[in-house]
Amino acid sequence: QVQLVESGGGLVQAGESLRLSCVASGNIPSSNAMGWYRQAPGKQRELVANAIRGGSTNYADSVKGRFAISKDLPKNTLYLQMNSLKPEDTAVYVCYLKDLRTGQDSWGQGSQVTVSS
């Protein structure tokens, strides 16, 4: 099993920055994809960004140019740097890891990000 522990959420003003962290532990599959979803009240869950082993990254159009996903492989940590935050970025952000061989997903506990105007 894989355990994912997130940190870094909080309350900021529009235009400010936050960095989310997601530390993976346990039986981490060698072939995996990691990323972040977000869920805002009354809205559908949205894939914010993901990173596939080998360096490929993808972003939702709504965050391109503002958010950056990165990995620290020795630390088994995934980061989401969020700059120029907007009130519409307010959501619970959840880290995930997908085993690309089996398709199994593991999820973090979620981090609340609130951006005030």
Side-chain angles (χ1 to χ4, degrees), residues 40-106:
K43 294 186 178 181
Q44 285 192 329
R45 186 178 69 174
E46 177 184 30
L47 177 62
V48 178
N50 65 10
I52 298 173
R53 191 174 179 87
S56 175
T57 58
N58 299 285
Y59 295 92
D61 287 343
S62 57
V63 306
K64 281 180 182 176
R66 300 187 298 122
F67 290 13
I69 190 169
S70 61
K71 282 183 176 180
D72 185 332
L73 292 176
K75 295 183 178 179
N76 290 324
T77 302
L78 182 74
Y79 300 102
L80 184 68
Q81 178 67 44
M82 304 184 292
N83 299 326
S84 302
L85 282 161
K86 303 175 180 180
E88 51 263 43
D89 294 318
T90 295
V92 174
Y93 287 70
V94 184
C95 169
Y96 79 93
L97 183 149
K98 177 181 283 293
D99 184 330
L100 295 179
R101 185 178 64 84
T102 66
Q104 183 172 359
D105 291 330
S106 300

